[in-house]
Amino acid sequence: MNTQALQSLAGLSVNEIKELISSFTTQSFRAKQIYKWILRGANDFSLMTDLPLTLQNELKENFNIYSSFVKACYEENESKKIVVSVKDSPLNIEAVLLSDEKKRLTACISTQAGCPAGCVFCKTGSLGFIRNLDHKEIIEQYLHLKTLCETSNNDEQTIKKEHAIDNIVIMGMGEPLLNLDNLKKALTFFNDKEGLNFSRRRITVSTCGICEGLFEIAQTEFFCSRLALSLTTADEMLRQKLMPITASNPLSKIHNALLLFQKNGGGRITLEIPLLAGINTREKDAKSVFEFSKGLETVINIIPWNPVEGLFFEGKPLKEPEKKETAEFIKMLENYNLKVTMRRRKGRSIMGACGQLGLK
């Protein structure tokens, strides 16, 4: 039997599982048992010990639990990056597990293989666009990371609670708002009160500013309340050179969408600025960020560029800013009374930091 062709169950709702297994059992509560076992990290039907043995065997014959598997894992101190392969293709997806100073764990999840945005400072952008991930492939990244941080043993005694990971950030490979339908399905799964029960405030979606998607989520009640915009600079001309996809997504329209998002109950917006030495560190850039922020509740997150070999801008290799250049730019922003934070550098040696995802 070709097990790769079997339907996978991870990432499905209880009702979806119930429908799939209806040919094998009339006991509808079995679907919830299977659902809960998957959330606990079970990767084999034989671990689902409260299911009858006959049902375990039938499930094994007709379904996979996962559609993907962890091909490789890289570690740097408390940061971990996994390379996830999809069973029916050679496709590789990367996801990262990060720990902060309070030992809180954050799963950084991808929504696409490659990325169509083409940002000149991002490794993923240099790959081009391969394809969208379906909602189960998005969800499975979280489940793989959860298993990684909990245990390496696959037995009933070591399968642990659902809430080992504190936060989810959709900041991995790809532009989430260009895969909005699958993103919404994944967020619904994460929010499910009968399942992982993630508060919307514990999930952040990062986008380079796709206007159509921003206006849609601004009017979507269940959508996450935390949003991050990869701003880079609010100098429109420079931004379009650094982030080609923004040519069709002007800052004025993005600003209007963010105003609507907050008017309809969305929380404070993070404006992410990957800082590129000698490029977007001018007084002009600081002032443009201030002007863009007017009317919005924001925090500016400075991200000194994480080195990636082979990336250029206008014929010159990109460089990370010196500490002095970074400090001076932060001071410029603070002089405009903007709230500024700087992202901790994590995962750089395993190419797991912001802008580094995308193995050759």
Side-chain angles (χ1 to χ4, degrees):
M1 183 194 309
N2 180 9
T3 59
Q4 293 185 353
L6 299 179
Q7 167 80 54
S8 59
L9 301 183
L12 296 180
S13 67
V14 172
N15 286 335
E16 288 171 327
I17 294 174
K18 185 187 302 183
E19 183 176 345
L20 283 175
I21 68 170
S22 60
S23 300
F24 308 105
T25 177
T26 58
Q27 298 175 310
S28 60
F29 68 89
R30 297 298 184 189
K32 190 168 186 179
Q33 290 177 315
I34 295 167
Y35 178 76
K36 289 290 188 180
W37 276 111
I38 291 171
L39 295 188
R40 289 185 217 148
N43 63 0
D44 192 294
F45 292 109
S46 64
L47 298 176
M48 302 179 182
T49 51
D50 52 3
L51 300 182
L53 184 59
T54 53
L55 180 57
Q56 291 180 29
N57 291 333
E58 286 174 328
L59 292 173
K60 189 177 296 187
E61 285 292 317
N62 291 277
F63 302 101
N64 286 322
I65 293 180
Y66 289 99
S67 66
S68 64
F69 63 97
V70 177
K71 180 179 181 180
C73 179
Y74 305 92
E75 299 190 27
E76 175 200 85
N77 299 325
E78 295 174 338
S79 298
K80 297 177 176 66
K81 181 175 79 168
I82 58 173
V83 179
V84 178
S85 285
V86 180
K87 289 181 178 179
D88 64 353
S89 77
L91 187 68
N92 289 328
I93 307 157
E94 296 184 19
V96 183
L97 186 69
L98 302 169
S99 176
D100 66 14
E101 64 279 0
K102 295 182 179 180
K103 305 298 182 183
R104 292 174 299 198
L105 294 175
T106 296
C108 181
I109 303 299
S110 298
T111 53
Q112 296 179 316
C115 183
C119 300
V120 301
F121 49 83
C122 178
K123 174 62 179 177
T124 310
S126 72
L127 302 177
F129 176 65
I130 302 170
R131 73 164 172 84
N132 284 331
L133 304 183
D134 67 35
H135 70 285
K136 294 197 294 182
E137 291 167 338
I138 296 170
I139 293 164
E140 285 183 21
Q141 293 170 66
Y142 169 85
L143 296 175
H144 288 312
L145 288 173
K146 177 178 170 294
T147 299
L148 177 66
C149 73
E150 287 180 334
T151 179
S152 59
N153 296 319
N154 292 319
D155 60 71
E156 183 183 2
Q157 300 302 316
T158 56
I159 293 174
K160 301 181 181 179
K161 61 179 183 177
E162 284 88 348
H163 294 290
I165 294 174
D166 300 283
N167 300 290
I168 297 173
V169 292
I170 312 297
M171 296 183 183
M173 304 173 74
E175 167 49 57
L177 300 193
L178 291 178
N179 190 14
L180 192 49
D181 287 345
N182 284 305
L183 174 62
K184 284 182 177 181
K185 290 177 183 177
L187 293 178
T188 299
F189 184 92
F190 294 139
N191 296 151
D192 182 8
K193 288 182 170 55
E194 298 300 316
L196 292 173
N197 194 24
F198 262 94
S199 162
R200 289 186 298 170
R201 294 187 176 276
R202 292 168 57 201
I203 301 176
T204 301
V205 175
S206 178
T207 174
C208 50
I210 307 302
C211 294
E212 183 179 354
L214 283 172
F215 278 108
E216 183 172 340
I217 66 173
Q219 300 172 80
T220 303
E221 183 178 355
F222 75 86
F223 203 81
C224 71
S225 60
R226 298 208 179 277
L227 189 65
L229 173 70
S230 183
L231 182 62
T232 308
T233 178
D235 177 337
E236 189 87 80
M237 294 285 289
L238 177 60
R239 190 169 192 262
Q240 290 180 15
K241 291 179 181 178
L242 292 169
M243 307 169 69
I245 202 169
T246 64
S248 57
N249 295 277
L251 286 169
S252 59
K253 197 170 180 181
I254 292 172
H255 190 270
N256 289 337
L258 298 181
L259 285 173
L260 182 62
F261 176 78
Q262 292 193 322
K263 178 183 177 182
N264 290 343
R268 185 175 64 186
I269 295 163
T270 300
L271 301 181
E272 300 168 316
I273 301 183
L275 215 56
L276 309 165
I279 296 175
N280 62 340
T281 60
R282 307 162 298 173
E283 170 64 35
K284 178 181 180 180
D285 295 294
K287 184 178 181 181
S288 73
V289 172
F290 166 67
E291 293 293 339
F292 181 81
S293 300
K294 288 181 178 179
L296 297 169
E297 183 186 354
T298 64
V299 59
I300 315 301
N301 188 212
I302 298 299
I303 311 167
W305 184 67
N306 296 299
V308 177
E309 185 178 349
L311 296 188
F312 295 81
F313 180 62
E314 296 185 336
K316 298 179 181 179
L318 293 174
K319 296 180 181 179
E320 64 178 303
E322 299 287 345
K323 289 182 179 179
K324 181 181 179 182
E325 186 177 11
T326 300
E328 288 176 349
F329 187 70
I330 290 174
K331 184 63 176 175
M332 293 178 202
L333 294 172
E334 290 175 339
N335 286 341
Y336 286 107
N337 294 317
L338 295 170
K339 183 173 182 179
V340 185
T341 61
M342 190 164 80
R343 187 169 300 182
R344 292 178 65 211
R345 294 184 169 185
K346 294 174 284 187
R348 286 172 32 133
S349 70
I350 57 173
M351 298 298 285
C354 179
Q356 291 185 321
L357 298 186
L359 290 172
K360 292 182 179 179

PDB file of all heavy atoms in Angstrom, residues 75-88:
ATOM      1  N   GLU A  75      19.832  23.267  16.074  1.00  0.00           N
ATOM      2  CA  GLU A  75      19.666  23.922  17.363  1.00  0.00           C
ATOM      3  C   GLU A  75      20.772  24.931  17.624  1.00  0.00           C
ATOM      4  O   GLU A  75      21.931  24.719  17.262  1.00  0.00           O
ATOM      5  CB  GLU A  75      19.653  22.880  18.493  1.00  0.00           C
ATOM      6  CG  GLU A  75      18.515  21.880  18.385  1.00  0.00           C
ATOM      7  CD  GLU A  75      18.370  21.016  19.634  1.00  0.00           C
ATOM      8  OE1 GLU A  75      18.759  21.503  20.724  1.00  0.00           O
ATOM      9  OE2 GLU A  75      17.889  19.883  19.512  1.00  0.00           O
ATOM     10  N   GLU A  76      20.382  26.045  18.236  1.00  0.00           N
ATOM     11  CA  GLU A  76      21.321  27.058  18.703  1.00  0.00           C
ATOM     12  C   GLU A  76      20.842  27.521  20.067  1.00  0.00           C
ATOM     13  O   GLU A  76      19.843  28.236  20.168  1.00  0.00           O
ATOM     14  CB  GLU A  76      21.372  28.254  17.746  1.00  0.00           C
ATOM     15  CG  GLU A  76      22.241  29.397  18.255  1.00  0.00           C
ATOM     16  CD  GLU A  76      21.920  30.715  17.574  1.00  0.00           C
ATOM     17  OE1 GLU A  76      20.986  31.403  18.028  1.00  0.00           O
ATOM     18  OE2 GLU A  76      22.595  31.022  16.594  1.00  0.00           O
ATOM     19  N   ASN A  77      21.547  27.099  21.106  1.00  0.00           N
ATOM     20  CA  ASN A  77      21.117  27.411  22.465  1.00  0.00           C
ATOM     21  C   ASN A  77      19.666  26.971  22.628  1.00  0.00           C
ATOM     22  O   ASN A  77      19.363  25.801  22.539  1.00  0.00           O
ATOM     23  CB  ASN A  77      21.315  28.894  22.764  1.00  0.00           C
ATOM     24  CG  ASN A  77      22.779  29.303  22.670  1.00  0.00           C
ATOM     25  OD1 ASN A  77      23.664  28.530  23.006  1.00  0.00           O
ATOM     26  ND2 ASN A  77      23.034  30.516  22.207  1.00  0.00           N
ATOM     27  N   GLU A  78      18.740  27.929  22.843  1.00  0.00           N
ATOM     28  CA  GLU A  78      17.348  27.559  23.070  1.00  0.00           C
ATOM     29  C   GLU A  78      16.496  27.718  21.810  1.00  0.00           C
ATOM     30  O   GLU A  78      15.275  27.573  21.872  1.00  0.00           O
ATOM     31  CB  GLU A  78      16.780  28.395  24.217  1.00  0.00           C
ATOM     32  CG  GLU A  78      17.466  28.091  25.561  1.00  0.00           C
ATOM     33  CD  GLU A  78      17.007  29.017  26.666  1.00  0.00           C
ATOM     34  OE1 GLU A  78      16.504  30.113  26.349  1.00  0.00           O
ATOM     35  OE2 GLU A  78      17.141  28.647  27.827  1.00  0.00           O
ATOM     36  N   SER A  79      17.116  28.017  20.684  1.00  0.00           N
ATOM     37  CA  SER A  79      16.384  28.142  19.425  1.00  0.00           C
ATOM     38  C   SER A  79      16.518  26.849  18.633  1.00  0.00           C
ATOM     39  O   SER A  79      17.575  26.218  18.628  1.00  0.00           O
ATOM     40  CB  SER A  79      16.931  29.302  18.594  1.00  0.00           C
ATOM     41  OG  SER A  79      16.781  30.527  19.275  1.00  0.00           O
ATOM     42  N   LYS A  80      15.427  26.472  17.960  1.00  0.00           N
ATOM     43  CA  LYS A  80      15.434  25.253  17.155  1.00  0.00           C
ATOM     44  C   LYS A  80      14.762  25.555  15.817  1.00  0.00           C
ATOM     45  O   LYS A  80      13.732  26.221  15.771  1.00  0.00           O
ATOM     46  CB  LYS A  80      14.698  24.118  17.867  1.00  0.00           C
ATOM     47  CG  LYS A  80      15.323  23.686  19.187  1.00  0.00           C
ATOM     48  CD  LYS A  80      14.490  22.617  19.861  1.00  0.00           C
ATOM     49  CE  LYS A  80      15.147  22.105  21.132  1.00  0.00           C
ATOM     50  NZ  LYS A  80      15.228  23.157  22.181  1.00  0.00           N
ATOM     51  N   LYS A  81      15.354  25.063  14.744  1.00  0.00           N
ATOM     52  CA  LYS A  81      14.727  25.171  13.435  1.00  0.00           C
ATOM     53  C   LYS A  81      14.508  23.782  12.876  1.00  0.00           C
ATOM     54  O   LYS A  81      15.405  22.938  12.923  1.00  0.00           O
ATOM     55  CB  LYS A  81      15.601  25.988  12.468  1.00  0.00           C
ATOM     56  CG  LYS A  81      14.954  26.138  11.088  1.00  0.00           C
ATOM     57  CD  LYS A  81      15.762  27.043  10.150  1.00  0.00           C
ATOM     58  CE  LYS A  81      16.950  26.332   9.545  1.00  0.00           C
ATOM     59  NZ  LYS A  81      17.552  27.114   8.438  1.00  0.00           N
ATOM     60  N   ILE A  82      13.310  23.545  12.359  1.00  0.00           N
ATOM     61  CA  ILE A  82      13.034  22.261  11.729  1.00  0.00           C
ATOM     62  C   ILE A  82      12.803  22.465  10.230  1.00  0.00           C
ATOM     63  O   ILE A  82      12.277  23.489   9.797  1.00  0.00           O
ATOM     64  CB  ILE A  82      11.819  21.546  12.356  1.00  0.00           C
ATOM     65  CG1 ILE A  82      10.552  22.417  12.283  1.00  0.00           C
ATOM     66  CG2 ILE A  82      12.116  21.127  13.784  1.00  0.00           C
ATOM     67  CD1 ILE A  82       9.280  21.696  12.730  1.00  0.00           C
ATOM     68  N   VAL A  83      13.246  21.490   9.472  1.00  0.00           N
ATOM     69  CA  VAL A  83      12.945  21.427   8.044  1.00  0.00           C
ATOM     70  C   VAL A  83      11.899  20.337   7.888  1.00  0.00           C
ATOM     71  O   VAL A  83      12.137  19.173   8.215  1.00  0.00           O
ATOM     72  CB  VAL A  83      14.199  21.107   7.205  1.00  0.00           C
ATOM     73  CG1 VAL A  83      13.840  21.038   5.729  1.00  0.00           C
ATOM     74  CG2 VAL A  83      15.284  22.154   7.448  1.00  0.00           C
ATOM     75  N   VAL A  84      10.719  20.732   7.426  1.00  0.00           N
ATOM     76  CA  VAL A  84       9.588  19.819   7.302  1.00  0.00           C
ATOM     77  C   VAL A  84       9.405  19.460   5.831  1.00  0.00           C
ATOM     78  O   VAL A  84       9.340  20.344   4.975  1.00  0.00           O
ATOM     79  CB  VAL A  84       8.299  20.470   7.853  1.00  0.00           C
ATOM     80  CG1 VAL A  84       7.106  19.534   7.670  1.00  0.00           C
ATOM     81  CG2 VAL A  84       8.479  20.830   9.325  1.00  0.00           C
ATOM     82  N   SER A  85       9.341  18.174   5.552  1.00  0.00           N
ATOM     83  CA  SER A  85       9.106  17.703   4.185  1.00  0.00           C
ATOM     84  C   SER A  85       7.685  17.183   4.046  1.00  0.00           C
ATOM     85  O   SER A  85       7.173  16.500   4.942  1.00  0.00           O
ATOM     86  CB  SER A  85      10.093  16.598   3.817  1.00  0.00           C
ATOM     87  OG  SER A  85      11.371  17.135   3.567  1.00  0.00           O
ATOM     88  N   VAL A  86       7.067  17.516   2.931  1.00  0.00           N
ATOM     89  CA  VAL A  86       5.732  17.009   2.631  1.00  0.00           C
ATOM     90  C   VAL A  86       5.874  15.638   1.984  1.00  0.00           C
ATOM     91  O   VAL A  86       6.720  15.445   1.110  1.00  0.00           O
ATOM     92  CB  VAL A  86       4.987  17.982   1.698  1.00  0.00           C
ATOM     93  CG1 VAL A  86       3.592  17.460   1.370  1.00  0.00           C
ATOM     94  CG2 VAL A  86       4.885  19.353   2.353  1.00  0.00           C
ATOM     95  N   LYS A  87       5.049  14.689   2.418  1.00  0.00           N
ATOM     96  CA  LYS A  87       5.244  13.293   2.024  1.00  0.00           C
ATOM     97  C   LYS A  87       5.085  13.045   0.531  1.00  0.00           C
ATOM     98  O   LYS A  87       5.673  12.126  -0.013  1.00  0.00           O
ATOM     99  CB  LYS A  87       4.277  12.399   2.812  1.00  0.00           C
ATOM    100  CG  LYS A  87       4.647  12.280   4.291  1.00  0.00           C
ATOM    101  CD  LYS A  87       3.699  11.366   5.043  1.00  0.00           C
ATOM    102  CE  LYS A  87       4.123  11.230   6.499  1.00  0.00           C
ATOM    103  NZ  LYS A  87       3.217  10.357   7.271  1.00  0.00           N
ATOM    104  N   ASP A  88       4.292  13.861  -0.152  1.00  0.00           N
ATOM    105  CA  ASP A  88       4.034  13.579  -1.563  1.00  0.00           C
ATOM    106  C   ASP A  88       4.909  14.402  -2.508  1.00  0.00           C
ATOM    107  O   ASP A  88       4.655  14.456  -3.702  1.00  0.00           O
ATOM    108  CB  ASP A  88       2.557  13.815  -1.892  1.00  0.00           C
ATOM    109  CG  ASP A  88       2.151  15.286  -1.704  1.00  0.00           C
ATOM    110  OD1 ASP A  88       2.976  16.062  -1.195  1.00  0.00           O
ATOM    111  OD2 ASP A  88       1.018  15.631  -2.064  1.00  0.00           O
TER     112      ASP A  88
END
